[in-house]
Amino acid sequence: MPILKGLEWTFDTKAPLYAKLRPGYVPELYEKIFQYKPIHASSHVVEIGIGGGQATLPFLQTGCQLTAVEYGSNFSDLCREKFKEFPGFSVITGKFEDVDFEADSCDLVFSASAFHWIPEEAGCRKVFSMLKSGGVFARFANRPYPDKSNPELSDAIQKLYETYYYKFHKRKPETPKEYTAENARAAAEIPLKYGFQDIEYALFHRIRTFSPSQYTALLETYSDHMIIEESIRKEFFSKIQEAIHQHGGEIHIYDTMDLQLARKP
């Protein structure tokens, strides 16, 4: 989905739906992180942009102290309740750029599908300052791609995007592009500009299946869809549901999860 800057606030208005429908991440991704940087009960971990907590549990299960920074107050409250059984868990409500952290205090800083909202230089320099020597910055995200197994459905939905989505946003239509290893490599190299070293990256894949109503509910959690005028959005989503019904009754989404790792010397 396109990223429209300035819409960070929109996610918090759909916090319960976001927490229910946005996917977590595959176990292999966490295994890669923990191989690169073992985390245990004495570790101090910071999560940037916890959202509905989709990425958080495997870190908490190590017994670490985990501080989450979350811009949305609804998400903050949701996650305090969700992870109340973990005594080492806490949430600070605010923008990451505005929250003070002690220098050289963190073993791991991670962000899942959230760091793109932060200005690159300010974000990377702050993470670098927060980390201890040998500390790690882990950034990962989920990159959904249309149903490759049903090209007629994908084409039908793309035409609906041209009619509704792109017209509303006054943008030229764009053809979806699948996230590649080259994209992941380029993203992994960014921290090198800010003093990090030992970069690694990896891709992980899965397929998710949705009914027509489940799929449009998922679309409700994307900021660029939330802000479409209500009557237009309802008609748009109704047409998407019709297209799915006409082309097999379900839609498959092909996810690529990319992980970038970097270490502070």
Side-chain angles (χ1 to χ4, degrees):
M1 301 290 175
I3 300 301
L4 302 181
K5 293 295 185 180
L7 297 182
E8 300 93 324
W9 61 271
T10 57
F11 299 105
D12 200 52
T13 67
K14 300 281 186 178
L17 188 64
Y18 187 105
K20 179 181 178 181
L21 292 177
R22 283 296 188 99
Y25 299 86
V26 295
E28 293 82 4
L29 183 147
Y30 296 102
E31 291 170 8
K32 177 73 173 177
I33 294 173
F34 296 145
Q35 288 170 2
Y36 186 88
K37 178 63 176 179
I39 298 298
H40 38 72
S42 62
S43 300
H44 181 202
V45 175
V46 170
E47 178 175 6
I48 303 170
I50 191 172
Q54 284 84 352
T56 312
L57 184 59
F59 295 96
L60 288 173
Q61 288 173 332
T62 68
C64 71
Q65 176 188 339
L66 193 154
T67 304
V69 182
E70 172 53 48
Y71 183 45
S73 59
N74 291 328
F75 276 133
S76 296
D77 291 342
L78 185 153
C79 287
R80 288 190 186 100
E81 176 64 23
K82 183 176 183 177
F83 300 121
K84 63 184 179 181
E85 64 189 85
F86 295 94
F89 176 73
S90 62
V91 184
I92 300 171
T93 303
K95 284 191 173 184
F96 175 68
E97 303 96 301
D98 300 334
V99 176
D100 292 328
F101 282 96
E102 185 179 347
D104 306 310
S105 63
C106 302
D107 298 285
L108 173 73
V109 176
F110 76 95
S111 186
S113 298
F115 201 74
H116 56 269
W117 295 108
I118 301 168
E120 177 192 303
E121 182 172 358
C124 288
R125 292 195 185 282
K126 185 166 187 172
V127 171
F128 188 89
S129 173
M130 292 164 58
L131 288 169
K132 302 173 184 176
S133 177
V136 167
F137 178 30
R139 179 180 178 180
F140 49 101
N142 185 55
R143 318 283 183 169
Y145 187 74
D147 194 340
K148 295 187 289 187
S149 66
N150 194 341
E152 291 184 358
L153 172 58
S154 294
D155 289 345
I157 290 178
Q158 179 65 14
K159 290 177 182 176
L160 292 172
Y161 268 80
E162 293 172 6
T163 301
Y164 293 95
Y165 175 93
Y166 288 109
K167 186 174 291 186
F168 176 84
H169 285 295
K170 296 181 172 62
R171 294 172 48 200
K172 292 182 178 180
E174 301 173 8
T175 301
K177 295 181 179 179
E178 198 161 10
Y179 198 85
T180 67
E182 178 59 26
N183 297 138
R185 183 198 62 77
E189 290 181 350
I190 291 172
L192 293 175
K193 297 188 291 183
Y194 305 101
F196 289 91
Q197 62 183 25
D198 299 337
I199 63 166
E200 293 188 14
Y201 63 91
L203 298 180
F204 308 89
H205 302 277
R206 71 172 163 216
I207 302 171
R208 290 178 289 152
T209 302
F210 298 92
S211 70
S213 60
Q214 287 172 336
Y215 184 63
T216 53
L218 174 67
L219 295 180
E220 286 275 7
T221 70
Y222 285 93
S223 58
D224 50 349
H225 291 64
M226 291 180 207
I227 65 168
I228 296 174
E229 194 275 320
E230 185 177 7
S231 63
I232 298 172
R233 187 175 70 250
K234 285 184 175 180
E235 184 174 336
F236 179 31
F237 286 2
S238 176
K239 294 290 186 181
I240 288 176
Q241 289 191 24
E242 288 178 15
I244 297 171
H245 279 298
Q246 291 168 2
H247 294 85
E250 62 183 17
I251 184 169
H252 306 288
I253 299 301
Y254 288 73
D255 288 335
T256 297
M257 289 151 280
D258 63 302
L259 167 66
Q260 294 96 36
L261 297 164
R263 195 183 311 274
K264 181 176 179 177

